[in-house]
Amino acid sequence: RSACATVAALLALFAAIPVNAADIALVGTWQLNLTKSHFSKGELPAKLVLTIEADGSDGIRYHSANMVAGKAGGAGWTAHFDGKGYPVTGTSDYDTVTVQKVDSHTFHLQMRKHGELTVDLTYTVAPDGKSLTRKGESHKAGQENHFDEWFDRQ
């Protein structure tokens, strides 16, 4: 009986330890590599930088800054890896994001607007941690766009 209590106490202790930035491969600053990236429709952004930070618990803070057709834009959010919807600011393309950690280097994200799926994508960090791919599709204004983006760690 005391062994079970000890194990339970240890599990509770480890569950309370905050997630460290080093534990999340996605954390970092990433710049779009235009020569390695592709959209099925439309042009790639002239510039796109992703800044991803650990939020001190089981999640991340995300900010994107882009330049598309001469206009600056971006989006921001904080979300946990629990698949629940979290609010997004800075864009009218979607209003919530869900994030799930598939494994230590792979993350599945979905963006929704008024509950309807608009972007479905997978982020994969290379084993050496130097690059990130973002693959998926978006559904906007009745058009589907498939994309395969490559980012370099800054």
Side-chain angles (χ1 to χ4, degrees):
R1 197 176 224 200
S2 65
C4 287
T6 302
V7 169
L10 286 172
L11 288 174
L13 175 67
F14 287 124
I17 296 172
V19 174
N20 185 322
D23 297 333
I24 305 172
L26 194 56
V27 167
T29 302
W30 305 92
Q31 183 157 346
L32 183 66
N33 183 321
L34 293 170
T35 60
K36 294 182 178 181
S37 299
H38 172 75
F39 280 5
S40 65
K41 291 189 176 118
E43 294 182 35
L44 288 164
K47 184 173 185 175
L48 174 56
V49 176
L50 310 178
T51 304
I52 302 168
E53 304 170 321
D55 76 344
S57 63
D58 188 31
I60 53 174
R61 280 187 297 275
Y62 171 100
H63 178 75
S64 66
N66 61 42
M67 182 67 68
V68 178
K71 294 183 181 179
W77 46 263
T78 299
H80 295 281
F81 303 126
D82 57 10
K84 294 180 182 175
Y86 291 90
V88 174
T89 60
T91 182
S92 61
D93 292 337
Y94 43 88
D95 51 29
T96 61
V97 62
T98 62
V99 183
Q100 293 179 304
K101 189 174 181 180
V102 177
D103 60 40
S104 65
H105 285 76
T106 309
F107 303 83
H108 182 235
L109 284 77
Q110 292 186 322
M111 281 78 162
R112 297 181 186 277
K113 181 161 182 141
H114 306 300
E116 187 174 327
L117 182 64
T118 57
V119 181
D120 188 10
L121 45 87
T122 300
Y123 286 75
T124 305
V125 179
D128 66 6
K130 294 180 181 179
S131 63
L132 166 71
T133 57
R134 182 166 75 169
K135 297 180 181 187
E137 58 186 42
S138 66
H139 310 275
K140 191 164 112 177
Q143 292 192 1
E144 192 170 290
N145 186 16
H146 296 271
F147 51 91
D148 187 350
E149 299 169 304
W150 181 285
F151 293 84
D152 297 311
R153 186 181 291 277
Q154 300 301 293

